[in-house]
Amino acid sequence: MKKVRIIMGMPIEIEIVDSSAQTALEAAFTYLVSVDKRFSTYKKDSEISRMNRGEITLSEASADMREVFVLAEKTKKETNGYFNICRPDGRIDPSGIVKGWAILNTAALIRNSGHENYFVNAGGDIAMNGATAEGKDWSVGIRNPFNINEIVKVVHPRGKGIATSGSYIRGNHIYNPHTPKQELKEIVSITVIGPDVLEADRFATAAFAMGKRGIIFIENLSGFEGYMIDVEGVASMTSGFKAFIL
């Protein structure tokens, strides 16, 4: 059973290999809508918007908000400041970590409802488990950032999380916190495979902000692999990435 809905401004696809998964699907989408209502910087009544207006403080915020802030600070330290939810204009925007966090939680909801075979994809942040309806490993296509209708690599994450950060769909929405006024031009996408989708997502965002040095950062991270495409269309991959290529 598979459905796609537009949430968080993007199509979110959830497939659960079970004909009786309707309740689990609805619960998953309901959860994602609640995340969008809380964390969207585009909704004036969201919790993050209220924080940015100074109407509530972090100590007054929800447990979910405090958890995301802790994760953001942890990621900032682990990436030498290349991940930072504080925008140059002073606003707080946790979008770079919320999507992976929400997909990880959605996967947990599906598992806890008794379903072991599933695939959740939100704009390239993907959590999966088990097998397809045909009993095969789930596969993920990495798009050509210069032609999004073309797949340049097909990978089998085998239950691990995968996330792609890039500028080819949403434009230059990621920036280097150390030089926020300087446009990122060296690379156009980086795909990261990690222990789970949250880990892959938070480090993919930071690696993209690092430019060409991002793939070296991923290479040195234990348990992570990456695939980067630069502005010239040249691809680079970490030493262990080939193990996931179909």
Side-chain angles (χ1 to χ4, degrees):
M1 185 173 287
K2 178 168 68 173
K3 287 190 177 182
V4 179
R5 294 184 185 171
I6 303 298
I7 306 172
M8 302 182 190
M10 73 188 82
I12 297 182
E13 171 193 354
I14 301 178
E15 180 174 355
I16 303 175
V17 185
D18 188 337
S19 60
S20 61
Q22 182 66 35
T23 300
L25 274 172
E26 291 302 324
F29 282 120
T30 297
Y31 169 72
L32 289 167
V33 168
S34 73
V35 170
D36 189 38
K37 287 181 178 179
R38 186 181 302 283
F39 289 97
S40 174
T41 57
Y42 298 97
K43 298 181 185 299
K44 292 182 179 180
D45 59 346
S46 71
E47 189 173 358
I48 193 65
S49 292
R50 293 179 61 210
M51 289 182 68
N52 277 321
R53 290 195 300 268
E55 295 174 5
I56 57 173
T57 64
L58 182 59
S59 62
E60 298 169 324
S62 65
D64 281 352
M65 186 66 69
R66 295 195 300 273
E67 180 181 344
V68 166
F69 268 66
V70 169
L71 284 167
E73 185 60 26
K74 179 175 183 284
T75 308
K76 180 181 178 180
K77 291 177 180 177
E78 292 172 336
T79 61
N80 296 316
Y82 277 94
F83 182 93
N84 194 335
I85 63 173
C86 297
R87 310 296 294 185
D89 61 6
R91 291 183 304 114
I92 303 296
D93 183 359
S95 302
I97 203 166
V98 164
K99 190 167 57 161
W101 172 82
I103 296 307
L104 182 67
N105 291 341
T106 300
L109 282 174
I110 294 170
R111 283 197 311 277
N112 292 339
S113 66
H115 303 284
E116 293 295 329
N117 303 299
Y118 59 81
F119 184 93
V120 185
N121 179 6
D125 287 4
I126 302 169
M128 69 205 79
N129 194 63
T132 68
E134 294 76 28
K136 298 179 180 180
D137 286 339
W138 296 104
S139 61
V140 176
I142 299 177
R143 294 185 185 276
N144 179 351
F146 303 100
N147 177 8
I148 61 173
N149 295 315
E150 179 185 354
I151 300 297
V152 295
K153 292 292 179 186
V154 176
V155 297
H156 281 155
R158 300 183 185 91
K160 293 183 178 292
I162 185 168
T164 296
S165 288
S167 57
Y168 59 98
I169 292 180
R170 294 178 58 195
N172 293 307
H173 65 290
I174 302 173
Y175 70 101
N176 179 350
H178 299 298
T179 56
K181 294 182 179 181
Q182 185 175 328
E183 186 177 333
L184 295 174
K185 296 181 178 181
E186 289 187 333
I187 67 174
V188 288
S189 76
I190 186 164
T191 297
V192 173
I193 297 174
D196 60 49
V197 64
L198 171 58
E199 295 296 285
D201 181 38
R202 66 195 188 98
F203 287 121
T205 303
F208 188 89
M210 296 175 189
K212 286 188 176 182
R213 292 180 293 113
I215 197 69
I216 300 173
F217 173 78
I218 299 299
E219 176 71 64
N220 292 326
L221 273 181
S222 177
F224 291 80
E225 302 296 340
Y227 184 88
M228 180 188 77
I229 301 175
D230 70 17
V231 71
E232 302 296 330
V234 177
S236 304
M237 66 180 75
T238 56
S239 57
F241 192 83
K242 286 184 178 179
F244 296 99
I245 296 177
L246 179 63

